């Protein structure tokens, strides 16, 4: 039932399966009821192509393959090429809902070829909103069974479940917006950033694999965790969210006209003596209002009167008395 348009478990290449089934006599001919109007049109055209292709698959001697069926011919070559990752990139791009015209530009072919490929070999776009279908019948494997070298399922997972096209491109390239080194001094920072991003992406991919390979690659995951920790520290120092908050607090304190007790609240160290600190070395205990008065006017009137108070010395008792 995977080769019919209405099937819940419809295969992405259901039309191509119909073409082969009709050709060998195991399935009924294409109809609107079974295949939809668009589906029947593609199936019948692909049947004509297959007849020509099986007579002579060499486009140099069978020019009909290029002059009439160029889109299907090139789409079939992509579908049957197991030695390249090109097919997996194309299919993952469809799962990321990238338009056919943009995919064509990215891979260097025509939009007609991408449309033919989607129609006959990867007809999933109209069902992208059905997560269970995509997960079970298109990606076709539970995430816990994905191996970090299983590019087909891994790329599709990132394209559909984990960030869309930009994340997919980063995973395929193992780099994120690589900077261009315009001076010799920038070379090292560019390489450092490339290594950092590659470690993160590899760790993310490995984390999907719970097999023995995951344990063997555990060091990569640990390295990525350490990089995240360093990033947070760098943010705090150089303008991240927490760093910005600290800078705003620091600026606030710098605008205040006093340093409470002569202590810098940012650096946590004693500052130069000020109007408040001169009282801290005396028996005077300033009230909050007096702290403000002293910071602004230079002295607190009531506290000034107490600075000259001399307390009698505490008598020292002699032993034996």
């Amino acid at each position: 039932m995977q080769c019919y348009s209405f099937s819940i478990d419809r295969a992405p290449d259901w039309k191509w399966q119909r073409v082969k089934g009709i050709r060998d006599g195991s399935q009924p001919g294409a109809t609107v009821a079974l295949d939809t109007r668009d589906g029947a049109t593609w199936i019948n055209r692909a049947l004509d192509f297959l007849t020509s292709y099986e007579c002579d698959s060499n486009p140099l001697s069978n020019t009909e393959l290029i002059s009439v069926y160029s889109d299907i011919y090139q789409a079939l070559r992509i579908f049957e090429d197991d030695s390249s990752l090109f097919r997996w990139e194309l299919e993952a791009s469809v799962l990321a809902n990238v338009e056919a015209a943009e995919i064509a530009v990215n891979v260097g072919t025509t939009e007609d070829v991408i449309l033919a490929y989607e129609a006959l070999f990867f007809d999933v776009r109209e069902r992208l909103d059905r997560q269970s279908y995509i997960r079970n019948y298109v990606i076709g494997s539970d995430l816990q069974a994905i191996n970090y070298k299983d590019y087909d399922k891994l790329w599709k997972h990132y394209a559909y479940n984990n960030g869309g096209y930009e994340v997919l491109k980063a995973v395929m390239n193992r780099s994120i917006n690589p900077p261009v080194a315009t001076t010799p001094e920038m070379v090292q920072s560019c390489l450092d950033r490339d290594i950092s991003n590659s470690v993160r992406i590899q760790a993310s991919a490995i984390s999907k694999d719970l097999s023995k390979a995951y344990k063997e690659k555990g060091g990569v995951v640990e390295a990525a965790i350490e990089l995240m920790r360093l990033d947070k520290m760098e943010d705090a120092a150089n303008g991240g969210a927490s760093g910005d908050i600290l800078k705003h607090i620091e600026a606030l304190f710098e605008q205040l006209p006093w340093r409470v007790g002569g202590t810098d609240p940012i650096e946590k160290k004693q500052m130069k003596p000020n109007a408040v600190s001169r009282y801290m070395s005396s028996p005077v205990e300033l009230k909050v209002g007096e702290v403000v008065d002293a910071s602004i006017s230079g002295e607190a009137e009531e506290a000034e009167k107490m600075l000259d108070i001399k307390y009698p010395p505490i008598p020292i008792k002699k032993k034996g008395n």
Side-chain angles (χ1 to χ4, degrees):
M1 293 293 290
Q2 287 188 326
C3 58
Y4 291 103
S5 64
F6 51 80
S7 299
I8 189 173
D9 59 346
R10 190 180 77 185
D13 65 337
W14 69 275
K15 292 192 193 77
W16 188 242
Q17 290 187 28
R18 289 279 288 130
V19 169
K20 293 189 293 183
I22 295 170
R23 184 230 16 217
D24 62 24
S26 63
Q27 295 180 25
T31 66
V32 174
L34 286 177
D35 308 300
T36 73
R37 186 176 302 280
D38 182 68
T41 300
W42 272 107
I43 290 169
N44 286 325
R45 182 165 178 257
L47 275 168
D48 293 339
F49 158 78
L50 190 58
T51 300
S52 178
Y53 183 81
E54 290 180 335
C55 289
D56 187 350
S57 62
N58 185 354
L60 295 179
S61 55
N62 183 5
T63 57
E64 185 180 49
L65 294 177
I66 297 300
S67 60
V68 180
Y69 305 113
S70 176
D71 56 340
I72 299 179
Y73 176 75
Q74 294 186 68
L76 179 63
R77 291 188 63 199
I78 296 171
F79 183 68
E80 292 183 336
D81 185 7
D82 294 329
S83 63
S84 170
L85 298 178
F86 185 86
R87 173 182 171 183
W88 311 135
E89 178 175 345
L90 192 162
E91 292 182 358
S93 298
V94 175
L95 287 181
N97 205 21
V98 181
E99 294 296 330
E102 184 176 350
I103 297 175
V105 171
N106 291 335
V107 301
T109 187
T110 65
E111 184 178 359
D112 287 343
V113 172
I114 303 301
L115 291 173
Y117 188 90
E118 286 195 47
L120 293 171
F121 306 111
F122 202 65
D123 183 12
V124 302
R125 197 181 289 271
E126 68 178 22
R127 293 190 175 188
L128 288 179
D129 59 339
R130 305 180 191 181
Q131 296 183 14
S132 183
Y133 168 77
I134 299 296
R135 182 169 55 249
N136 289 286
Y137 300 118
V138 179
I139 298 177
S141 174
D142 186 86
L143 287 183
Q144 292 185 356
I146 290 181
N147 184 279
Y148 74 100
K149 289 185 178 180
D150 192 351
Y151 299 113
D152 174 22
K153 293 180 176 62
L154 196 62
W155 288 0
K156 287 175 181 175
H157 160 70
Y158 278 103
Y160 188 73
N161 294 313
N162 203 7
Y165 193 44
E166 292 305 318
V167 173
L168 171 64
K169 288 191 293 185
V171 171
M172 291 188 299
N173 297 332
R174 290 182 63 178
S175 182
I176 302 173
N177 297 327
V180 177
T182 55
T183 65
E185 291 76 19
M186 291 180 64
V187 172
Q188 187 61 49
S189 63
C190 288
L191 294 176
D192 290 344
R193 180 174 175 180
D194 177 65
I195 292 171
S196 173
N197 289 332
S198 293
V199 168
R200 297 168 200 272
I201 293 169
Q202 187 177 4
S204 178
I206 291 171
S207 70
K208 306 298 180 293
D209 176 21
L210 300 182
S211 66
K212 180 181 177 182
Y214 173 81
K215 297 178 181 178
E216 294 174 349
K217 296 288 184 177
V220 176
V221 178
E222 292 175 1
I225 293 172
E226 180 64 15
L227 284 170
M228 287 188 285
R229 187 184 70 82
L230 293 174
D231 272 353
K232 289 184 178 180
M233 294 173 60
E234 184 176 348
D235 282 346
N238 298 316
S242 57
D244 286 342
I245 292 173
L246 290 176
K247 288 180 179 179
H248 288 307
I249 293 174
E250 182 178 355
L252 172 64
F253 277 113
E254 288 177 351
Q255 296 300 317
L256 295 176
W258 66 81
R259 297 293 187 185
V260 178
T263 302
D264 185 339
I266 302 298
E267 300 294 336
K268 304 298 183 184
K269 63 184 180 181
Q270 290 294 118
M271 303 292 290
K272 294 180 180 180
N274 56 31
V276 175
S277 62
R278 59 192 290 262
Y279 293 104
M280 303 306 291
S281 58
S282 74
V284 178
E285 184 176 348
L286 296 179
K287 299 177 182 178
V288 174
E290 291 175 326
V291 171
V292 177
D293 290 342
S295 299
I296 296 175
S297 65
E299 65 179 31
E301 185 176 352
E302 293 299 322
E304 285 294 319
K305 297 176 183 179
M306 300 181 66
L307 281 179
D308 294 330
I309 294 178
K310 303 296 184 181
Y311 292 93
I314 298 175
I316 300 174
K317 294 183 179 180
K318 295 181 179 180
K319 292 182 179 180
N321 292 342

